[in-house]
Amino acid sequence: MRAAIIGAGLGGLLAANLLAKEGYKVDVFEKLPFIGGRFTNLTYKGFELSTGALHMIPHGKRGPLGSLLKELKVDVEIKDSKPEGEALYNDKREILTKKVAPFKTLMKFYAKSLIHKFFGRDFYLNEFQKGIDEFSGKFIDAFLGWSLSITSREILFSKFLKIYQQTMRFRGPGIPIGGCKAVIDGLVENLKSYDGKIHLRKKVEGIVVESAKAKGVIVKNERIDCDLVISNVGHYETQKLVGKDYLGYLKMKLSESSGIKYSIALNEPFIGHSGVLFTLDAQRIAGLNEVTNADPNLAPNGKHLLMAHQPMLTSNVKYEISLGLKDLKRILNGYNYEILVVQSYTDGWPVNRVKAGMDIGVETPYTNLFVVGDGAKGDDIEVDGIALGVLRFGELI
C-alpha cells in the first residue's frame, strides 16, 4: 500500500508517521525548500525563532499531540509548565486557578453548559460574556486571542465548551526542548526509520480522482499512483487540486484566522516561568510566554526569548502591529528589550486555515482522500487540535 502526503507540516508528518507505522510506503511532497511549515525553527542572532506556532504545546506531554508522539515513539522531550498560566490584570499578576473566577460567573457557566447538554441550545460565546464580571470577560478574550486568534463573536458556546473540557482534562502547556523543530526533527527521523521519503521543492499540481476515488497525485506533470492521498493544505486548496468544487456553500464559512507574533530579546527574565501570561488590559496583545525558562538553548547565553501573540481584528496589518507594539511598550516598561522579529500570519500563511469551531472534519466526498492539519482540526487548541484531526483520520483508515 502506498500513500502520498501533500505538505510536510506538522499534520502531514504526523499522518505520514501513522501510516508508515501501519506498513504503508509513504511519500511526502513539500513545495517549500524546508520541512515543518509553520512549526519549525529559524535561527536569527543566535535565537531559535519559530516559523509560525509558538514553541509551546497547549497541553504539554499529557495532551493529544504529546500522547500521539509517544504512541509513534518519536524522540522528543516536552517540559510541562509550572505554573500553567497567569493573568496580568490592573498591573497585577495572578496565578490562574478555578478560584480566580467569581462563584457567580462559574455558576452561570455551568448552568449554560447544562442547558446546552439537555436542551441543545447553542449561541455565540459573546452572549455568555454579557453580565459576567470584568476579569472573566477579559480573560475569555485574552484566552481566545492567544490560543485560537479569534474573538468571542466567532465561536459557539458548544465549541468553546469542548475546548474548556480538553483543558480541564489535560491541563496547561509544555515546551518542547529544542523548540518546534525538535518535534519536526523527531518525526522526520522516525519516518526515515520506516523508509518513508520526503521530497522538497516538489509541488503537487493535482490530485487524480477517478470514479469518486483518489488514485494518485500529479508532480511536475508526472502521475504518481497511490492508494491513499492525504492533504495537509486545507479543504479549500485540496478541492482546487482535485479540480472540482466539493465545498459548495461551505467555502464561504471556511475563513482563516489571522494573527501577529513578536519575538523579543531580553537580558533578564520578564515572566520568570514557562507558562502563559495572559494580558487582560492590552488593546491587542493577548498573551506572552518565555520559553527560555524551560530551554535556555533557544537563546544565546545569558539572553531570554519572550514571545507575544495577538489576533488580527482588522485587515490592516500595519495598524494592528502598531497597536501591538504600543501594548508591549507598556507591558515591558522598565525592561531593556529588543524586538527581534514581527511576523504576520494571514493571506495564505495564516494562523489557521480555518477558524476554530468551523472545521468540517478530515473526510472529503472522495474515497481515499483525506485532509489533515490546521484546516481539519479536532476541538482543541492549535497543535493539539491538529493531533486530534490526525487521530480521527487514523480511526477512519
Side-chain angles (χ1 to χ4, degrees), residues 98-130:
K98 279 188 177 181
K99 295 180 181 179
V100 170
F103 180 77
K104 185 179 178 181
T105 296
L106 284 174
M107 288 303 99
K108 182 178 180 180
F109 181 76
Y110 293 141
K112 293 289 187 183
S113 301
L114 289 172
I115 290 171
H116 170 71
K117 180 178 180 180
F118 291 109
F119 300 102
R121 183 174 180 270
D122 211 353
F123 48 90
Y124 282 93
L125 189 59
N126 63 317
E127 268 191 53
F128 168 75
Q129 284 177 295
K130 296 174 183 176

Side-chain angles (χ1 to χ4, degrees), residues 83-88 93-96 135 139 270-273 275-280 288:
E84 296 170 357
E86 287 186 298
L88 179 61
R93 285 167 56 170
E94 187 168 0
I95 293 176
L96 292 169
F135 175 90
F139 174 73
F270 169 69
I271 297 179
H273 58 75
V276 182
L277 179 62
F278 293 100
T279 48
L280 275 57
L288 309 96

Side-chain angles (χ1 to χ4, degrees), residues 35 43 61 98 109 146 161 163 209 291 293 296 363 381 384:
I35 301 169
T43 304
K61 59 191 173 191
K98 279 188 177 181
F109 181 76
W146 165 263
L161 181 59
I163 291 172
V209 173
V291 293
N293 293 313
E363 296 178 84
I381 302 169
D384 275 317

Side-chain angles (χ1 to χ4, degrees), residues 359-377:
D359 304 81
I360 60 172
V362 301
E363 296 178 84
T364 72
Y366 308 106
T367 305
N368 295 344
L369 174 59
F370 298 90
V371 175
V372 297
D374 66 310
K377 297 192 299 183

